[in-house]
Amino acid sequence: MTELHFFEKNAPILLSEIVETLGAHCAEGAVNDQMISDIAPISEAQSGQITFLDNPKYVEDLAQTSATAVLCSKRYVTKVPEGVIALEVKNPYQAFAQLSSLFYPQAMAPLPFFGDEGGISQAAHIHPTACIEEGVTIEPGASIGAGVEIGSGSVIGVNAVIGQGVRVGRSCHIGANVVLQHSLVGDYVILHPGVCSGQDGFGFAMSPMGHSKVPQIGRVIIQDHVEIGANTTIDRGANKDTVIGEGTKIDNQVQIGHNVEIGRHCVIVSQVGISGSSVLEDFVAIGGQAGVAGHIRIGMGAQIAAVSVAKDDLPAGGRYGGVPAKPVRQWFREMAALKKLTEKE
Amino acid sequence: MTELHFFEKNAPILLSEIVETLGAHCAEGAVNDQMISDIAPISEAQSGQITFLDNPKYVEDLAQTSATAVLCSKRYVTKVPEGVIALEVKNPYQAFAQLSSLFYPQAMAPLPFFGDEGGISQAAHIHPTACIEEGVTIEPGASIGAGVEIGSGSVIGVNAVIGQGVRVGRSCHIGANVVLQHSLVGDYVILHPGVCSGQDGFGFAMSPMGHSKVPQIGRVIIQDHVEIGANTTIDRGANKDTVIGEGTKIDNQVQIGHNVEIGRHCVIVSQVGISGSSVLEDFVAIGGQAGVAGHIRIGMGAQIAAVSVAKDDLPAGGRYGGVPAKPVRQWFREMAALKKLTEKE
Amino acid sequence: MTELHFFEKNAPILLSEIVETLGAHCAEGAVNDQMISDIAPISEAQSGQITFLDNPKYVEDLAQTSATAVLCSKRYVTKVPEGVIALEVKNPYQAFAQLSSLFYPQAMAPLPFFGDEGGISQAAHIHPTACIEEGVTIEPGASIGAGVEIGSGSVIGVNAVIGQGVRVGRSCHIGANVVLQHSLVGDYVILHPGVCSGQDGFGFAMSPMGHSKVPQIGRVIIQDHVEIGANTTIDRGANKDTVIGEGTKIDNQVQIGHNVEIGRHCVIVSQVGISGSSVLEDFVAIGGQAGVAGHIRIGMGAQIAAVSVAKDDLPAGGRYGGVPAKPVRQWFREMAALKKLTEKE
């Protein structure tokens, strides 16, 4: 990176301290009093910096790296070039994440947008019946509606809209231009800019005379430690609640329909759509642009590949892909068979 | 649902009154002076509550229900367990919609975000040349540009942006953070938060020297009784208008390109993309994540399955699926043939 | 179009002046002192107006047109009906673009939303440490954070949020409700409403104990003459920068992951998703709803069809389609083979 940095760096750090913090293994005597000035991707790391190898795609870059040290798993230790210190760890990406938080502790949660010292901006609009705990930051243009409650340590970003009656827990970061209605948000939740949560679900009783609106009277429950990406939309429940389970991470531009229940620690990549009343059990992972049909159940730990579509219930633990989603092996066989078919002709 | 409700409930209601309002049939003497306290989904309904059965997926829940009464069609009446009152109606979902509006009349349109008693907030920004009828609510942070006209009974949500010259009709709900430009909006229109309407369409004359912007001089016309979901984007026409026909319902995160003409009472599910200059005739229905190519015409009442892509004109009334979209039977045959092919090997 | 126009028209213009400006060819003596009052699409153009033919789909409309003149390529000159003046140009769409900018010069960049005469609104929130050059327009409700720099001639739309430390160059149009963080924006950039740029990328070190946030310390670099559509999201780099190259045009609701590098003059249609760390070389074109997997490289000038998914590196210059994307011929063969297979049965 070049001139302008947005985060303050906590550096340099002694390499020996890094090794100890991460519980890394290295050749005896390799680590002395080296200082590490920064972290960097493997293709760009310079002397004095530390990098990591996780994706085998970048093994070739390993041979060329100028980094002082590299975090890697056991199998790559022998491929680390001479003059570079190999730091063996079990999970290099996890170790790198931990290391990043040492160098850039500020970046563990979004910075305030406006940049003031906290407190409640004079340019925020706060309903007299709202209940704001101590130590809350509310930035300019944010609106806090009637009866809202916000827990201590939370930051409400510029122009965010916290609709009447919404609860936001403690230590949350609500991004700029987020709109919350009919939502109950736990603690340590991060909502990135443009998230809309709690608007009416898409419920209409259709007929040749036109379509009648079905009142949507449920809520959105966002549990602790959830993170939700920019411009993602979550509809409130029709006649029960839409629920996002503890620790679940959702990327940008995901659509979550009414009554959906998402378990704990799920991972949902960008542009996924989850149709109404479906259930994701804990630790489900869904790749980008995939879809989940309505009224189905995805079993615990199931993984759905990018751009695939789950049309029916999927058992726990499996890996699925295709349209409709099937076990990945079957999906691969179908693609291969189709290719072969054209070769015959 | 648990403690905190966002909507006031109009309850209890006499069951006999419900039966009469819905025109439901029931066994003689079944309905006396029972009071109904609430509506609920079939798996959660308790004594004193009323539920409905529409999706055959939930027939098993019917046998277990503790509801006092259940709305269902003729074929399920005999499956209603003893002690539960079967209310036979032609269209259970339509009846339930009607019932929901009795219990939760507030939920038929979005609530104001801020929660004040209506009127024009001191914290709204209103251009002196804007023309606001009586009985309009404008919430904090909303901006009403030069020459804008807003009809009586409409609500402009927190931080909504009504760009210069835009017209909004009567009894509309414009959600928080909506951005309208170059748009004419009819009466009884609901726009959920984050909708962007009337920005430049994607028009560039491409060349190896770079791409020249083609001025987009049309408008967006949103007719009466249209509802549009959160974060949906509608580009204004390039050299004519983009039109959303009366009574059409559009879900979240839908993209509608310049010059598109959508007929009356269409239903477009979330994450659909409709490319420029295409025409949807009346009562077209499009499933989630589907696509419509540019410059084509979808005939009246045609239905396109989720994640399918209409590449060419599609005749009225049919059901289509696949990439490219073909009659659904042909699509199913192709999927079956592919599966069979892999079984042979 | 009907009564209300949003753009002032610069008309009438002498046809002879148009012919000269565009360098068009026409039959000798055809052009005298005709005045042109407006531009219009071929199916709607009236006497006194000028239109163009580019898409062969509209050849039938050519025979019926009432336009005074039509821009077309050599091959269609003979199909122009008697009484209509054929203006032969090499690239009719490019010529029409140029013509549109003559009639509607205002429409070459978004209009201010509020409609005031420029300057800095009293209702904007500007941090005392922000640095605003002369001739900047800042509309009501916009927030300019600490240390922000904005170049002369730029317009910051209503309720846009320019987060602390962001740089916006000269002659930019930042739409209403845009949110910029950790971003450096060049000159002549247009961001349509609801764009979110610079929020945290989706980086988590996953584990059965939950998922640890990986700090995202990079930036977003948006080079000169870029245009980005409504509600598009661009994550900042994880440990390097996300880059959008000069002259690249991005449509609505596109998702661009962390560390992505997009070259110069690329064209990316709506609802495309580009996964983290992928590289698009110059002049890449990607159709609507397509996807690009992470950590791959798309060669210069490659074209990816709508709803296709690039899973691996794609060589420069080719045309690709399907899931996964392959050369279009192979894709067409596969679709045909599948269809044939069902016909046999």
Side-chain angles (χ1 to χ4, degrees), chain A:
Chain A
M1 282 196 294
T2 55
E3 69 290 353
L4 178 72
H5 289 272
F6 284 89
F7 296 104
E8 282 172 33
K9 190 167 60 174
N10 172 32
I13 302 180
L14 265 170
L15 182 55
S16 57
E17 194 187 317
I18 289 171
V19 168
E20 198 186 324
T21 304
L22 303 180
H25 292 276
C26 57
E28 232 186 283
V31 172
N32 302 306
D33 56 354
Q34 299 97 333
M35 298 297 283
I36 299 296
S37 64
D38 208 348
I39 55 177
I42 195 162
S43 61
E44 300 186 6
Q46 300 301 315
S47 176
Q49 299 181 331
I50 188 167
T51 189
F52 76 111
L53 179 75
D54 183 50
N55 187 331
K57 271 200 138 152
Y58 297 105
V59 167
E60 280 177 36
D61 289 321
L62 182 58
Q64 314 292 335
T65 191
S66 308
T68 288
V70 58
L71 295 162
C72 62
S73 59
K74 197 171 182 177
R75 59 184 297 206
Y76 294 116
V77 167
T78 57
K79 302 210 165 154
V80 174
E82 220 174 318
V84 179
I85 301 168
L87 302 181
E88 182 194 328
V89 290
K90 242 183 170 166
N91 184 333
Y93 192 52
Q94 192 110 42
F96 187 73
Q98 198 181 342
L99 193 59
S100 302
S101 70
L102 286 181
F103 278 94
Y104 295 95
Q106 266 188 331
M108 290 303 286
L111 296 177
F113 294 85
F114 201 62
D116 264 0
E117 297 293 300
I120 296 178
S121 166
Q122 299 277 2
H125 315 300
I126 300 181
H127 198 279
T129 62
C131 181
I132 317 284
E133 287 191 0
E134 294 274 311
V136 167
T137 298
I138 302 183
E139 296 197 295
S143 262
I144 313 296
V148 166
E149 296 179 16
I150 300 179
S152 64
S154 286
V155 177
I156 310 297
V158 174
N159 292 344
V161 180
I162 314 295
Q164 53 172 309
V166 166
R167 310 274 168 89
V168 175
R170 296 179 174 176
S171 302
C172 290
H173 284 77
I174 307 299
N177 283 3
V178 165
V179 180
L180 296 181
Q181 305 167 77
H182 309 274
S183 298
L184 308 181
V185 178
D187 300 333
Y188 300 99
V189 168
I190 297 174
L191 304 183
H192 290 289
V195 166
C196 295
S197 169
Q199 58 282 343
D200 297 14
F202 198 62
F204 298 94
M206 297 174 194
S207 93
M209 311 299 295
H211 315 306
S212 317
K213 187 169 177 65
V214 180
Q216 306 285 306
I217 59 170
R219 306 170 301 180
V220 176
I221 311 293
I222 299 176
Q223 297 181 355
D224 298 347
H225 298 285
V226 165
E227 182 165 342
I228 300 181
N231 284 348
T232 281
T233 52
I234 304 173
D235 289 344
R236 71 174 182 271
N239 48 17
K240 51 185 198 171
D241 292 330
T242 303
V243 180
I244 314 294
E246 186 190 335
T248 283
K249 310 300 181 187
I250 298 176
D251 201 351
N252 299 344
Q253 297 193 40
V254 169
Q255 151 67 7
I256 297 176
H258 53 189
N259 295 358
V260 165
E261 290 176 40
I262 298 181
R264 296 162 62 245
H265 306 299
C266 293
V267 173
I268 300 176
V269 178
S270 64
Q271 298 180 316
V272 163
I274 302 181
S275 306
S277 300
S278 280
V279 176
L280 274 56
E281 298 182 354
D282 298 345
F283 286 98
V284 166
I286 306 186
Q289 299 185 324
V292 174
H295 300 275
I296 67 173
R297 173 176 287 267
I298 310 298
M300 181 165 167
Q303 300 186 359
I304 300 174
V307 304
S308 299
V309 178
K311 212 173 135 279
D312 298 294
D313 290 2
L314 292 178
R319 296 174 58 216
Y320 306 90
V323 180
K326 56 212 75 169
V328 284
R329 279 197 191 167
Q330 170 66 10
W331 181 36
F332 292 154
R333 267 200 301 265
E334 288 183 8
M335 286 189 291
L338 190 56
K339 196 177 166 194
K340 206 168 161 187
L341 200 64
T342 63
E343 285 162 359
K344 277 180 197 161
E345 307 208 342

Side-chain angles (χ1 to χ4, degrees), chain C residues 320-331:
Chain C
Y320 307 90
V323 181
K326 56 210 75 167
V328 283
R329 278 194 192 171
Q330 170 65 11
W331 182 35

Side-chain angles (χ1 to χ4, degrees), chain B residues 127 146 164 213 219 235 295, chain C residues 4 58 112-114 116 227:
Chain B
H127 197 279
Q164 52 171 311
K213 187 169 178 66
R219 307 170 300 180
D235 288 344
H295 301 275
Chain C
L4 179 73
Y58 297 105
F113 294 84
F114 201 61
D116 265 0
E227 182 164 343

Side-chain angles (χ1 to χ4, degrees), chain C residues 174-330:
Chain C
I174 308 298
N177 282 3
V178 165
V179 180
L180 297 181
Q181 307 167 75
H182 308 275
S183 298
L184 308 181
V185 177
D187 299 334
Y188 300 99
V189 168
I190 297 175
L191 304 183
H192 289 290
V195 166
C196 295
S197 169
Q199 58 282 341
D200 297 13
F202 198 63
F204 298 93
M206 298 175 194
S207 92
M209 310 299 296
H211 314 307
S212 316
K213 187 169 178 63
V214 180
Q216 305 285 304
I217 59 170
R219 307 170 300 181
V220 175
I221 312 292
I222 299 177
Q223 297 181 355
D224 298 348
H225 297 285
V226 165
E227 182 164 343
I228 300 180
N231 284 348
T232 282
T233 52
I234 304 173
D235 288 344
R236 71 174 181 271
N239 48 17
K240 52 184 195 169
D241 292 330
T242 302
V243 180
I244 315 293
E246 187 190 335
T248 283
K249 311 300 181 188
I250 298 177
D251 200 351
N252 299 343
Q253 297 193 41
V254 169
Q255 151 68 6
I256 297 175
H258 53 189
N259 295 358
V260 165
E261 290 176 40
I262 297 181
R264 296 163 62 243
H265 305 300
C266 293
V267 173
I268 301 176
V269 178
S270 65
Q271 297 181 318
V272 163
I274 302 181
S275 305
S277 300
S278 281
V279 176
L280 273 57
E281 297 182 354
D282 298 346
F283 285 98
V284 166
I286 305 186
Q289 297 186 326
V292 174
H295 301 275
I296 68 173
R297 174 176 286 265
I298 311 297
M300 180 165 167
Q303 300 187 358
I304 301 175
V307 304
S308 299
V309 177
K311 213 174 134 277
D312 297 294
D313 290 2
L314 292 178
R319 296 175 58 215
Y320 307 90
V323 181
K326 56 210 75 167
V328 283
R329 278 194 192 171
Q330 170 65 11

